[in-house]
PDB file of all heavy atoms in Angstrom:
ATOM      1  N   MET A 288      98.040 -41.984  84.734  1.00 98.00           N
ATOM      2  CA  MET A 288      98.042 -43.267  83.953  1.00 98.00           C
ATOM      3  C   MET A 288      97.845 -43.004  82.463  1.00 98.00           C
ATOM      4  O   MET A 288      98.455 -43.615  81.640  1.00 98.00           O
ATOM      5  CB  MET A 288      96.949 -44.182  84.468  1.00 98.00           C
ATOM      6  CG  MET A 288      96.906 -45.539  83.751  1.00 98.00           C
ATOM      7  SD  MET A 288      95.635 -46.664  84.285  1.00 98.00           S
ATOM      8  CE  MET A 288      96.336 -47.344  85.769  1.00 98.00           C
ATOM      9  N   ALA A 289      97.022 -42.009  82.155  1.00 98.00           N
ATOM     10  CA  ALA A 289      96.764 -41.662  80.737  1.00 98.00           C
ATOM     11  C   ALA A 289      97.818 -40.787  80.127  1.00 98.00           C
ATOM     12  O   ALA A 289      97.821 -40.516  78.926  1.00 98.00           O
ATOM     13  CB  ALA A 289      95.362 -41.053  80.612  1.00 98.00           C
ATOM     14  N   GLY A 290      98.751 -40.289  80.985  1.00 98.00           N
ATOM     15  CA  GLY A 290      99.821 -39.377  80.469  1.00 98.00           C
ATOM     16  C   GLY A 290      99.297 -38.033  80.018  1.00 98.00           C
ATOM     17  O   GLY A 290      99.884 -37.405  79.144  1.00 98.00           O
ATOM     18  N   VAL A 291      98.240 -37.565  80.670  1.00 98.00           N
ATOM     19  CA  VAL A 291      97.637 -36.296  80.253  1.00 98.00           C
ATOM     20  C   VAL A 291      97.860 -35.252  81.349  1.00 98.00           C
ATOM     21  O   VAL A 291      97.653 -35.516  82.530  1.00 98.00           O
ATOM     22  CB  VAL A 291      96.112 -36.473  80.037  1.00 98.00           C
ATOM     23  CG1 VAL A 291      95.433 -35.133  79.727  1.00 98.00           C
ATOM     24  CG2 VAL A 291      95.834 -37.441  78.911  1.00 98.00           C
ATOM     25  N   SER A 292      98.230 -34.023  80.919  1.00 97.00           N
ATOM     26  CA  SER A 292      98.426 -32.955  81.923  1.00 97.00           C
ATOM     27  C   SER A 292      97.083 -32.513  82.475  1.00 97.00           C
ATOM     28  O   SER A 292      96.150 -32.293  81.715  1.00 97.00           O
ATOM     29  CB  SER A 292      99.148 -31.778  81.235  1.00 97.00           C
ATOM     30  OG  SER A 292      98.981 -30.656  82.073  1.00 97.00           O
ATOM     31  N   PRO A 293      96.956 -32.275  83.771  1.00 97.00           N
ATOM     32  CA  PRO A 293      95.730 -31.845  84.358  1.00 97.00           C
ATOM     33  C   PRO A 293      95.274 -30.466  83.839  1.00 97.00           C
ATOM     34  O   PRO A 293      94.101 -30.160  83.887  1.00 97.00           O
ATOM     35  CB  PRO A 293      96.033 -31.802  85.829  1.00 97.00           C
ATOM     36  CG  PRO A 293      97.514 -31.838  85.970  1.00 97.00           C
ATOM     37  CD  PRO A 293      98.031 -32.533  84.803  1.00 97.00           C
ATOM     38  N   THR A 294      96.199 -29.669  83.363  1.00 96.00           N
ATOM     39  CA  THR A 294      95.900 -28.337  82.915  1.00 96.00           C
ATOM     40  C   THR A 294      95.367 -28.262  81.482  1.00 96.00           C
ATOM     41  O   THR A 294      94.855 -27.211  81.071  1.00 96.00           O
ATOM     42  CB  THR A 294      97.126 -27.394  83.026  1.00 96.00           C
ATOM     43  OG1 THR A 294      98.137 -27.906  82.154  1.00 96.00           O
ATOM     44  CG2 THR A 294      97.688 -27.364  84.459  1.00 96.00           C
ATOM     45  N   LEU A 295      95.510 -29.314  80.746  1.00 97.00           N
ATOM     46  CA  LEU A 295      95.038 -29.265  79.305  1.00 97.00           C
ATOM     47  C   LEU A 295      93.527 -28.939  79.280  1.00 97.00           C
ATOM     48  O   LEU A 295      92.741 -29.588  79.901  1.00 97.00           O
ATOM     49  CB  LEU A 295      95.313 -30.645  78.718  1.00 97.00           C
ATOM     50  CG  LEU A 295      94.966 -30.767  77.208  1.00 97.00           C
ATOM     51  CD1 LEU A 295      95.939 -29.941  76.334  1.00 97.00           C
ATOM     52  CD2 LEU A 295      94.977 -32.229  76.795  1.00 97.00           C
ATOM     53  N   PRO A 296      93.126 -27.920  78.466  1.00 97.00           N
ATOM     54  CA  PRO A 296      91.710 -27.680  78.294  1.00 97.00           C
ATOM     55  C   PRO A 296      90.976 -28.907  77.770  1.00 97.00           C
ATOM     56  O   PRO A 296      91.471 -29.587  76.795  1.00 97.00           O
ATOM     57  CB  PRO A 296      91.673 -26.539  77.287  1.00 97.00           C
ATOM     58  CG  PRO A 296      92.998 -25.913  77.383  1.00 97.00           C
ATOM     59  CD  PRO A 296      93.986 -26.978  77.703  1.00 97.00           C
ATOM     60  N   ALA A 297      89.856 -29.239  78.372  1.00 97.00           N
ATOM     61  CA  ALA A 297      89.157 -30.469  78.001  1.00 97.00           C
ATOM     62  C   ALA A 297      88.881 -30.523  76.484  1.00 97.00           C
ATOM     63  O   ALA A 297      88.968 -31.611  75.870  1.00 97.00           O
ATOM     64  CB  ALA A 297      87.845 -30.597  78.791  1.00 97.00           C
TER      65      ALA A 297
END
Side-chain angles (χ1 to χ4, degrees):
Chain A
M288 183 182 278
V291 175
S292 164
T294 61
L295 182 70

